Amino acid sequence: EDCSFKGHPTTAVNNAKRVFNINDMQADIIYNHMFPATLRIPKYKETWVVTLIDKKCSLKVLKHPKSLPKYLGFKRKKVKNA
């Protein structure tokens, strides 16, 4: 499997097809949610919606870099008072 940035969309779609019974629209969403990095124009309006929301979330994280660990699912360690 090609795990590079270039091969990521194809690998992701192949994995989804192997595990789930996805249709063409779902495959398009998985493949193209990183547009324009994928260089393939989304076919469905639903793909455009997911792509735009993905961009909005990414920009929000970039605007507030301290929120990145929370966005990625990491929990902050609680500091005990001495």
Side-chain angles (χ1 to χ4, degrees):
E1 287 185 19
D2 184 1
C3 293
S4 67
F5 181 76
K6 182 180 172 186
H8 169 72
T10 304
T11 300
V13 170
N14 290 340
N15 287 340
K17 285 181 177 179
R18 190 182 73 232
V19 177
F20 304 102
N21 183 22
I22 64 171
N23 60 33
D24 289 341
M25 182 191 305
Q26 292 164 329
D28 190 62
I29 290 169
I30 294 167
Y31 190 93
N32 290 311
H33 80 278
M34 293 171 59
F35 178 81
T38 57
L39 301 177
R40 191 169 92 181
I41 297 174
K43 295 178 188 176
Y44 303 95
K45 64 182 175 184
E46 291 84 354
T47 308
W48 281 106
V49 169
V50 171
T51 299
L52 293 173
I53 296 300
D54 182 60
K55 301 301 173 264
K56 181 179 179 181
C57 293
S58 298
L59 289 172
K60 186 175 180 180
V61 170
L62 288 175
K63 188 175 177 183
H64 303 284
K66 289 184 179 180
S67 69
L68 183 60
K70 182 179 177 184
Y71 180 77
L72 296 174
F74 296 112
K75 294 182 180 180
R76 295 181 70 170
K77 292 182 181 179
K78 291 184 180 179
V79 178
K80 294 182 181 179
N81 293 334

